[in-house]
Amino acid sequence: MRKHRNWLIGFGLGIMLGASMLQLINTAREQTEGVAMTRDQLDAQAKEQGLLLLTDKELQQRLDEAVSSSVPSKGKAGEESDQPPASPSSSKGVAPVTEPTEPSASVPTEPDAPVVSPSNDKVTLYIGAGMSLTEVAESLQKLGIVDDSKDFIEQARPIAKKMNVGNAIFTGKPTYEQIIAELVRKKR
């Protein structure tokens, strides 16, 4: 028994490694073999989470309605409105932007564009899926939240993989610890 000890250890480790790999393969296969959901099932799940599913046609119709209701006219046919006509949506799928109702707020044209509201000194930055720490640091520097993006990257390197997708809201001039806490906060 003693003379075959190394062989037995190798054989046992091989069996354990093989079983582990087989379990990983089966788990991955189960995740990729999901059953396609019907529109009704998708609507039900969206409703449970407080969301609304729209087809492209319904979305475009709602966008057109919103744009037409937000552009006031002078009332007479043939006269032009005070505001320029709404621009068509861009190739990225971003909705047309009209004049903001509040003069102190700026409206983002892209999903990852920051929203700056000077009235209460709050700054919102959208953290998108797959954004790197460098991209976030550069955005924070552009917004004036951090002075040196390289210094912030060095401080925040441990949380680079822990940032959560969603809107990060900053008030005033936060410290690096406050910024890091907001980046890793679970967002809805």
Side-chain angles (χ1 to χ4, degrees):
M1 187 76 166
R2 237 176 176 356
K3 84 178 183 182
H4 300 292
R5 181 176 182 205
N6 287 339
W7 185 85
L8 289 173
I9 290 173
F11 184 71
L13 289 174
I15 288 176
M16 288 189 295
L17 184 62
S20 299
M21 292 298 292
L22 184 60
Q23 186 63 34
L24 285 173
I25 291 169
N26 285 336
T27 303
R29 187 176 299 146
E30 288 172 4
Q31 289 178 355
T32 59
E33 291 178 353
V35 177
M37 298 177 85
T38 65
R39 175 65 187 211
D40 294 334
Q41 290 172 328
L42 282 173
D43 284 337
Q45 281 195 355
K47 194 176 221 179
E48 287 175 10
Q49 297 189 9
L51 302 173
L52 175 66
L53 289 179
L54 299 174
T55 63
D56 289 339
K57 193 175 190 179
E58 293 169 336
L59 177 63
Q60 190 61 41
Q61 181 182 7
R62 286 191 179 202
L63 284 173
D64 292 342
E65 288 173 4
V67 168
S68 65
S69 68
S70 67
V71 178
S73 62
K74 289 188 177 180
K76 293 183 182 177
E79 287 188 18
E80 296 180 13
S81 68
D82 292 338
Q83 298 180 3
S87 62
S89 60
S90 68
S91 61
K92 286 185 176 181
V94 177
V97 177
T98 59
E99 291 292 318
T101 57
E102 240 181 75
S104 64
S106 67
V107 177
T109 57
E110 298 180 14
D112 59 347
V115 177
V116 180
S117 178
S119 62
N120 55 6
D121 203 23
K122 285 188 178 181
V123 178
T124 302
L125 174 67
Y126 180 77
I127 309 297
M131 279 184 79
S132 68
L133 182 61
T134 305
E135 292 171 327
V136 171
E138 289 171 357
S139 297
L140 290 171
Q141 186 175 9
K142 286 178 187 174
L143 292 171
I145 302 290
V146 295
D147 297 324
D148 184 16
S149 63
K150 291 180 182 178
D151 186 37
F152 176 74
I153 291 170
E154 288 301 317
Q155 294 289 323
R157 191 170 307 279
I159 62 113
K161 302 287 183 189
K162 298 177 186 175
M163 292 186 296
N164 287 315
V165 174
N167 286 327
I169 302 169
F170 304 101
T171 305
K173 186 77 170 171
T175 64
Y176 284 167
E177 289 79 19
Q178 292 170 329
I179 296 170
I180 290 170
E182 180 63 21
L183 293 176
V184 297
R185 175 182 63 85
K186 183 150 178 103
K187 301 163 184 80
R188 286 191 79 171

